[in-house]
Amino acid sequence: MGTIEKIAGPLVVAKQMLGSNMYDVVRVGDAKLIGEVIQLRKDKAIIQVYEDTTGLRPGETVTTTGLPLSVELAPGILGKIYDGVQRPLDSIEKKSGSFIGKGIEVSPLDKKKKWKFTSTAKKGVHISEGSIIGHVQETELIKHYIMVPKGVEGTLERIKEGSFTIEEEIAVVRGKSKSHSLNMIQRRAVRIPQGFKSKFRSAEPLVTGQRVVDTFFPVAKGGTAAVPGPFGSGKTVIQHQLAKYSDADIVVYVGCGERGNEMTEVLVEFPHLLDPKTNKPLIERTVLIANTSNMPVAAREASIYTGITLAEYFRDMGYNIALMADSTSRWAEAMREMSARLEEMPGEEAYPAYLPKRLAEFYERAGKVESRNGKVGSITVIGAVSPAGGDTSEPVSQGTLRVTKVFWALDASLASSRHFPSINWLNSYSLYLGSFHEWYVKNVGEMFPENRQNAMKLLQHEAELKDIVQLVGADALPDTERVVLEVGRMIREDFLRQSAFDQIDAYTSLEKQKLMLDNILYFGKRADEAAKRGVPADKITSMKVRGEISRMKEWIEKDAEASAKKVRAGIDAEFDALVREEAVAAK
Ligand code: ADP
């Protein structure tokens, strides 16, 4: 037990702290605020406090728990909304009456609820950290595997079956020197990545149903993506779309102190979203971690680690997790504030010199792995950055772009022209495309990667032509190039543009994406041939079939193939007629 010597905002210096360790969680002052030791100097401990330190005084006591900042893991996590140090927001509210009370000790999980435990490990087997001994059906969608916690190894001496609270004994393990009684709870320190057997290079995309993502800038299951988010660019909507439609099993959403009302939006809206695949509330496979800007900065700093640790836990059960962090800029700012108070040597733009390292360490916890128990799961990390003024040359964006492999450039000017999702096709990139080649060929179609590339070339060509048009007008272009402008427009408006609010358009399967793109490219091919044979561009750009192409979005998934054939026949018929007409006129 020590005493407070100095308080500076969220930072507290305590003396007589010999015996405490780095990253120990401490209780600070009479109010027992939660803090973490972040520096030790002789008998002094520098503590970052996760709660408002107003009213704290020198001389008050500090006690160490002797444990690192950890999360409690057991059935009951899904559907919860936590703050940055895993306190459930609803119980904080209930206990303190107001939004967030001080020094409140609340259990992250329901200790009274009984869960039906089904054992799967047999008595007498050897088990160790990570081994699965049974499961609980946590929600209709997710089976929660009960894994052996760290530090337990030995022979399974006893295992029970039936309904238990998470604290009741379900198994006994006889170790070398002692017996362990196991319940369903385990704790994991949040700042230490969970170990695993092996990590793979992921060659499979996270399928999101969003055409611009899946076809043009896909992210791997277990991959990393960065999204800059200028205000109003559709960042929230795209995150909702990914949460709803991506083929991840579980979504962990970490909201780090973005403008208060935005977080509220997420908190209010998320619990009402329905999973389109099952029509169950989406929250049944979601965990939310919320830090509004009125919560202390230190908690914001911790929330990212809390989030990724929860994700690792479910990954170890063999699930695919999508973790969304919004926004990592606010996280970095929290780091900057703490670093300034510690009077550390500032790096670029006053961020601590270790910022790039911290960013890299965070994104490194993404990946597809075989966990200790042999299950294969993945964590895909999608990190939003919100640089001031949209200038991505600043340290957080740069540090992020160096370590992430996909960049979805949300573009304010596209958003203002109502082109959604406002992912700019010219600035965005995905470094996974090469490694997905085989997967696409096998699962979508042999020509898909090539067609994707051709479409991208057309868009680039269109952009170049548009620059010329601005200078000299469209009439100065030859017909073959005016046709390129038309096909570019089709790719943009009839393919890339996708409404999140239209029931059919909100999700497009890869099969339908392929068929849509095929038709546009086929139109392009025929248009180019026709223009070369002398059909005037005006006739091509006013063809009737263009209307049918723009309605491809409305195709019902199961009829997509038949619909695609019909449109293709329409393209052929109209072009054949145009070319014939032109031949007659030429004679
Ligand atoms: P941000 O979070 O970046 O401030 P939002 O995600 O709230 O922006 O989007 C702003 C508005 O843009 C939304 O209210 C919606 O009207 C529109 N919008 C964004 N994405 C789409 C989309 N995919 N389809 C249709 N409208 C969209």
Side-chain angles (χ1 to χ4, degrees), residues 47-107:
I47 297 158
Q48 69 175 347
V49 180
Y50 293 123
E51 300 183 79
D52 185 5
T53 51
T54 318
L56 211 59
R57 287 201 205 134
E60 289 182 22
T61 56
V62 176
T63 47
T64 170
T65 61
L67 296 169
L69 189 63
S70 308
V71 287
E72 192 172 288
L73 302 159
I77 297 172
L78 295 172
K80 279 275 170 21
I81 303 177
Y82 289 120
D83 75 354
V85 286
Q86 212 206 0
R87 297 183 301 175
L89 287 189
D90 53 346
S91 9
I92 295 176
E93 244 173 296
K94 267 182 231 145
K95 264 209 168 164
S96 65
S98 70
F99 190 45
I100 196 161
K102 281 196 208 174
I104 286 185
E105 210 159 334
V106 282
S107 166

Side-chain angles (χ1 to χ4, degrees), residues 210 229-239 241 259 262 265 326 410 415 418-422 498-502:
Q210 310 306 302
F231 184 71
S233 60
K235 189 162 49 105
T236 313
V237 174
I238 206 161
Q239 268 162 344
Q241 291 300 93
R259 290 165 289 265
E262 257 178 64
E265 230 171 74
D326 182 16
L410 293 190
R418 309 294 299 161
H419 177 108
F420 288 114
S422 67
Q498 185 169 3
S499 169
F501 304 114
D502 180 277

Side-chain angles (χ1 to χ4, degrees), residues 547-566:
E548 278 176 63
I549 289 176
S550 73
R551 283 191 296 278
M552 294 191 299
K553 294 175 184 179
E554 298 162 24
W555 291 347
I556 309 286
E557 289 284 348
K558 68 174 177 36
D559 305 334
E561 188 141 11
S563 311
K565 276 204 183 113
K566 225 164 97 192

Side-chain angles (χ1 to χ4, degrees), residues 135-327:
H135 58 255
V136 152
Q137 193 70 40
E138 178 166 355
T139 65
E140 263 180 79
L141 303 170
I142 301 292
K143 200 183 257 183
H144 190 124
Y145 293 93
I146 307 300
M147 296 177 287
V148 173
K150 194 174 164 174
V152 176
E153 183 166 0
T155 312
L156 188 60
E157 201 167 65
R158 226 177 324 138
I159 183 151
K160 299 180 186 169
E161 178 108 18
S163 287
F164 304 98
T165 68
I166 57 174
E167 286 180 315
E168 283 171 334
E169 182 182 88
I170 51 166
V172 176
V173 178
R174 185 160 33 82
K176 268 206 185 96
S177 51
K178 61 170 183 175
S179 279
H180 306 267
S181 157
L182 299 188
N183 58 19
M184 294 190 218
I185 305 177
Q186 62 172 288
R187 272 172 237 283
R188 288 187 184 178
V190 299
R191 294 192 192 271
I192 305 163
Q194 180 69 15
F196 42 77
K197 247 189 219 158
S198 55
K199 199 164 192 165
F200 312 98
R201 201 175 74 128
S202 176
E204 182 187 340
L206 182 79
V207 179
T208 67
Q210 310 306 302
R211 296 188 289 266
V212 60
V213 172
D214 292 348
T215 297
F216 283 90
F217 309 108
V219 61
K221 279 207 177 93
T224 49
V227 205
F231 184 71
S233 60
K235 189 162 49 105
T236 313
V237 174
I238 206 161
Q239 268 162 344
H240 280 188
Q241 291 300 93
L242 294 177
K244 271 175 149 166
Y245 294 107
S246 73
D247 58 352
D249 304 305
I250 290 171
V251 173
V252 178
Y253 183 95
V254 186
C256 296
E258 202 54 29
R259 290 165 289 265
N261 57 346
E262 257 178 64
M263 195 63 227
T264 323
E265 230 171 74
V266 175
L267 290 182
V268 173
E269 283 172 24
F270 245 99
H272 297 291
L273 296 179
L274 286 184
D275 185 335
K277 278 169 258 172
T278 55
N279 252 332
K280 296 264 169 337
L282 197 60
I283 195 90
E284 288 193 6
R285 55 182 186 93
T286 308
V287 192
L288 291 172
I289 296 174
N291 276 281
T292 54
S293 40
N294 57 3
M295 293 185 194
V297 285
R300 209 187 293 164
E301 198 269 332
S303 59
I304 286 270
Y305 296 104
T306 298
I308 195 102
T309 308
L310 293 175
E312 283 174 348
Y313 177 62
F314 285 107
R315 174 205 67 194
D316 290 347
M317 299 179 197
Y319 290 116
N320 295 308
I321 322 297
L323 181 136
M324 292 184 249
D326 182 16
S327 121

